[in-house]
Amino acid sequence: MMNKDTGINFLIVGIGALIVGMFYGCFGALQHVYPELNEYFSFQKTRPLHVSLVIAWLYLGAIGGIYYYLPNKCGVPLYSQLLAKLHLWIFTITGFVIIALYSMGIFGGREYWAFPPILAIPIVVSWGMFGYNYIKTIFAVKTPWPVYFWMWGTGILFFLFTFLESYLWMIPYFGDSIVRDMTVQWKSYGAIVGTWNMLIYGTAIFLMEKVSEDSGMPDLEEAAPKMGHSKIAFLLFFLGFLNLLFGWAHHLYLLPSAGWIRHMGYLISMTELLIIARLIWQFRANFIAGTNRFHIMPFRFLMAADIWIFVNLALALLISVPAIQLYTHGTHVTVAHAMGSTIGINTMILLASLFFVVGDRKKVPNNGIVAKGFWIANISFFVFFVCLVAAGIVKGFGVIEEEQTYHEVQASISPFILVFAYSGLVMFVGFCLVLIPAAKTLMSASVTGVTGELSSSAAVEHEAIEIPPSGSADHLSGGKPDSAQ
Amino acid sequence: MTLQAKQWLYAVLCIGFLAMSLSVYMSTENVDRGFSLMSEDVRAGKQLFQDYNCTSCHQIFGLGGYMGPDLTNCMSSERGPKYAEVMLRYGAIPRMPNLGLTDQEIKELLAFLMYIDKSGTSPPVDFEINSIGTIDIKHYQDDE
């Protein structure tokens, strides 16, 4: 069922992408345990289906939030509802074409974007529409902008650059030398991760601000409008930006690329995680001090993200040391790191955002099926994560120290892979318990209030909108006020 | 921090990024070796590697899926090119599907695998761990 609000439609498509993507992820994990499943549907198809769909979820979830929040929560009508709808339709149709091609075994691209390169064109075109719409929308807002406006804009702008960069392999100057080709490929992919982090971390700060506004706690409510203007929030933004631009080099330690490339960047990504963890942790401390807890589900998911940031930070710090990465590169530890980031941090933040939107339509009880799903997903994810780390360590030492063959390694890690696959299945069930009620609510609720409707012709009358000025938010963010803009 | 300071910092970071990107694009360390080994068969094999989405299951320099082995040095391994050819021709059911490749496609994929083999070593076998946690990997036999 289509909703009037494009942001909600993005969220609904995103939920669909996540559920189907997780399904293929589970199937792919089972294919490692029961390889005979490959005869029915080869892993060559399963993996890109899983990867592309879950990456699509990260973008769709973040984009849906931006389209929803600007008109409905920031009071900034979209410059063009038509462009937003076109963006949705082009993205969705392209997505279905990609799924169909993968299912038929038609590829031609690279990891992440395994589809034929021609399909990058509609993605770039629709992203350009998104960028134009976003810029025209926020330029109608008087400065100083909150930090999440900067973060969303940066994520949008740099996705376009890095996505195009990831296609440089088509030019012989890049594609004809494997060292340059792989260096540029992983430079662009590392930065692409930075772009979705920028969109999602921006959403996290936005949520902390808005959840605080409705908290029922006078101190929090008073300070809430200033959270997005605080010094620490901007510090986080610039560190995240630095990470997006320069923090990709740790992918390349073992590639015979130039020495300066191999030793650049990992400290930057570490500091970024530390800052966002501090922000959320401080927010939690203030929130817990209160007695009224509105939006309990967004709060829970933000707290889960916070815990996973610490877990992932520890792992990321370790594997960023080249001497350790020697043993973990190309092993399941790398997968654990990727899963820790995309599920534990990004998805938890996006689910907080999703339930913030759902909360506008229906109260979600804190002991119902969604809450059960939350616990099932997180506990099974912990088991899943530990199994990946254990399998990676065993594989790393087997390959580097004992020079084991592929078959010997497979035999030694098989118990971990078995538990990993089944915990993945349980996690899938847990996430479905969370996602299906949310999707039902979004699909059934009629839209009330501001929907962001603003025709292109009316855009010329789109006057500058003033949002709350910055001020002290020290007790929330732990930072100094950033009011001197 | 004033708005102007933020804008300046943003601009400086963007310029730094563009400069760094150009340096990466123009970096030549071990890059010429790749160009000198490239041929029409290798180029065709590389495209086939993508068309069949081999990365789904196999790794090159540790990057890719884990259903099958890392292929970086499969051609110089104990089993060598003959084993790789048999795998490409018949598959290894159930993990490796029989892709129904033609003789020409097999030749091109083998050429690409040979090219990769000469481009470096993965996983590293000859390396040194330094006291500060960095590593020196000897990728080529002719390295000093």
Side-chain angles (χ1 to χ4, degrees):
Chain A
M1 182 189 288
M2 289 302 291
N3 199 297
K4 276 184 187 173
D5 194 303
T6 309
I8 288 183
N9 289 325
F10 264 101
L11 291 174
I12 292 168
V13 177
I15 291 171
L18 178 58
I19 291 175
V20 180
M22 281 194 299
F23 168 79
Y24 282 113
C26 290
F27 188 72
L30 287 172
Q31 283 176 301
H32 283 81
V33 181
Y34 308 108
E36 54 275 20
L37 290 172
N38 278 297
E39 293 176 48
Y40 302 101
F41 197 81
S42 75
F43 190 72
Q44 167 201 25
K45 299 174 184 174
T46 313
R47 187 167 183 259
L49 279 164
H50 168 62
V51 172
S52 293
L53 281 162
V54 294
I55 290 177
W57 146 251
L58 297 178
Y59 281 111
L60 291 165
I63 293 165
I66 293 168
Y67 276 135
Y68 181 81
Y69 295 139
L70 284 172
N72 294 308
K73 296 289 175 186
C74 302
V76 188
L78 290 180
Y79 169 73
S80 168
Q81 194 68 21
L82 177 66
L83 280 178
K85 282 179 181 162
L86 272 173
H87 179 197
L88 173 71
W89 278 106
I90 296 173
F91 246 44
T92 308
I93 291 168
T94 309
F96 276 111
V97 172
I98 289 169
I99 290 169
L101 291 177
Y102 283 171
S103 304
M104 291 187 286
I106 299 171
F107 307 103
R110 312 287 280 265
E111 203 168 14
Y112 286 17
W113 327 121
F115 45 81
I118 189 84
L119 287 169
I121 294 171
I123 294 173
V124 168
V125 169
S126 60
W127 197 272
M129 291 175 181
F130 177 38
Y132 180 74
N133 205 3
Y134 179 80
I135 287 168
K136 293 293 280 185
T137 300
I138 66 156
F139 269 71
V141 179
K142 277 183 185 168
T143 55
W145 292 332
V147 71
Y148 42 85
F149 277 20
W150 287 75
M151 295 174 90
W152 291 337
T154 301
I156 293 167
L157 176 69
F158 278 85
F159 173 82
L160 208 52
F161 181 91
T162 52
F163 186 71
L164 289 170
E165 189 182 41
S166 72
Y167 280 91
L168 287 177
W169 61 269
M170 300 182 79
I171 302 169
Y173 174 78
F174 294 94
D176 277 1
S177 177
I178 193 74
V179 174
R180 176 174 286 153
D181 186 0
M182 290 192 75
T183 305
V184 173
Q185 181 186 355
W186 287 95
K187 172 186 182 298
S188 66
Y189 286 4
I192 278 171
V193 171
T195 67
W196 79 55
N197 281 340
M198 198 55 83
L199 297 173
I200 294 171
Y201 291 176
T203 302
I205 295 174
F206 169 86
L207 283 174
M208 284 184 274
E209 185 179 289
K210 298 302 171 189
V211 172
S212 300
E213 273 179 8
D214 295 338
S215 65
M217 291 174 273
D219 283 0
L220 266 181
E221 287 183 355
E222 189 191 341
K226 296 129 193 168
M227 287 182 79
H229 295 270
S230 68
K231 216 166 200 172
I232 192 127
F234 272 92
L235 179 63
L236 164 67
F237 162 63
F238 279 110
L239 280 172
F241 192 27
L242 207 64
N243 171 69
L244 187 163
L245 302 178
F246 306 103
W248 46 270
H250 59 259
H251 293 290
L252 302 175
Y253 289 159
L254 305 190
L255 198 65
S257 55
W260 69 269
I261 296 174
R262 281 183 277 131
H263 294 103
M264 182 178 67
Y266 74 87
L267 267 178
I268 295 165
S269 55
M270 300 305 101
T271 48
E272 182 203 24
L273 282 170
L274 272 173
I275 296 289
I276 196 168
R278 184 162 184 264
L279 264 176
I280 300 179
W281 197 254
Q282 191 66 35
F283 160 80
R284 170 198 159 278
N286 285 285
F287 202 98
I288 258 177
T291 49
N292 299 321
R293 297 180 187 184
F294 294 100
H295 303 293
I296 191 72
M297 276 302 154
F299 174 72
R300 270 188 198 199
F301 283 110
L302 283 177
M303 289 310 100
D306 197 29
I307 291 163
W308 283 110
I309 285 170
F310 285 113
V311 173
N312 218 45
L313 173 65
L315 185 65
L317 276 166
L318 286 172
I319 66 174
S320 290
V321 178
I324 295 175
Q325 199 186 100
L326 178 68
Y327 293 88
T328 61
H329 180 74
T331 75
H332 302 76
V333 173
T334 312
V335 185
H337 173 52
M339 295 290 147
S341 304
T342 53
I343 301 174
I345 303 172
N346 295 328
T347 295
M348 290 300 162
I349 292 172
L350 289 177
L351 289 177
S353 171
L354 179 67
F355 277 91
F356 186 66
V357 176
V358 167
D360 273 359
R361 281 147 180 76
K362 187 180 177 183
K363 184 167 166 50
V364 183
N366 63 6
N367 58 354
I369 197 160
V370 174
K372 288 185 177 70
F374 170 85
W375 287 110
I376 291 169
N378 274 284
I379 293 168
S380 54
F381 179 50
F382 178 74
V383 177
F384 177 94
F385 184 86
V386 169
C387 287
L388 281 172
V389 173
I393 292 170
V394 171
K395 181 180 177 181
F397 276 92
V399 169
I400 300 292
E401 291 294 323
E402 298 169 21
E403 297 189 19
Q404 288 181 347
T405 65
Y406 165 74
H407 294 287
E408 287 168 338
V409 169
Q410 291 302 114
S412 58
I413 64 172
S414 60
F416 300 110
I417 298 302
L418 182 73
V419 181
F420 149 79
Y422 281 99
S423 60
L425 275 178
V426 177
M427 181 169 67
F428 178 49
V429 172
F431 275 118
C432 283
L433 294 178
V434 168
L435 292 166
I436 292 171
K440 275 186 181 171
T441 304
L442 292 181
M443 285 194 286
S444 62
S446 61
V447 179
T448 54
V450 183
T451 61
E453 286 285 352
L454 187 70
S455 67
S456 297
S457 58
V460 289
E461 295 168 17
H462 194 189
E463 290 181 359
I465 298 158
E466 195 162 1
I467 55 173
S470 57
S472 173
D474 284 4
H475 66 292
L476 274 175
S477 62
K480 293 283 180 193
D482 192 25
S483 55
Q485 295 175 85
Chain B
M1 187 186 264
T2 62
L3 177 62
Q4 203 178 20
K6 284 175 192 159
Q7 289 169 338
W8 270 106
L9 184 54
Y10 200 93
V12 167
L13 285 172
C14 287
I15 292 165
F17 174 67
L18 289 175
M20 180 271 293
S21 296
L22 282 175
S23 303
V24 171
Y25 299 160
M26 294 190 299
S27 168
T28 53
E29 195 171 322
N30 297 325
V31 166
D32 291 343
R33 185 188 298 259
F35 283 125
S36 64
L37 295 170
M38 180 58 75
S39 68
E40 277 310 310
D41 273 357
V42 173
R43 201 173 284 120
K46 189 179 178 208
Q47 187 56 49
L48 284 171
F49 200 80
Q50 290 182 199
D51 290 343
Y52 287 104
N53 200 25
C54 304
T55 307
S56 230
C57 302
H58 296 286
Q59 302 160 68
I60 301 287
F61 287 108
L63 301 167
Y66 301 157
M67 180 62 82
D70 189 316
L71 297 180
T72 314
N73 301 118
C74 68
M75 297 297 267
S76 59
S77 69
E78 214 171 285
R79 287 167 163 168
K82 278 286 168 202
Y83 183 79
E85 185 181 341
V86 169
M87 281 287 156
L88 287 169
R89 194 173 296 281
Y90 303 108
I93 307 296
R95 281 186 183 262
M96 166 85 181
N98 181 346
L99 299 168
L101 300 167
T102 65
D103 287 347
Q104 179 63 22
E105 286 178 323
I106 291 171
K107 184 179 157 228
E108 289 164 351
L109 278 166
L110 288 173
F112 175 62
L113 291 174
M114 189 61 86
Y115 169 81
I116 293 290
D117 195 298
K118 290 175 181 165
S119 68
T121 311
S122 178
V125 285
D126 195 354
F127 57 85
E128 211 168 286
I129 298 176
N130 304 313
S131 57
I132 53 167
T134 56
I135 44 172
D136 295 324
I137 300 170
K138 190 175 177 185
H139 276 286
Y140 309 105
Q141 290 304 314
D142 55 355
D143 272 356
E144 287 301 315

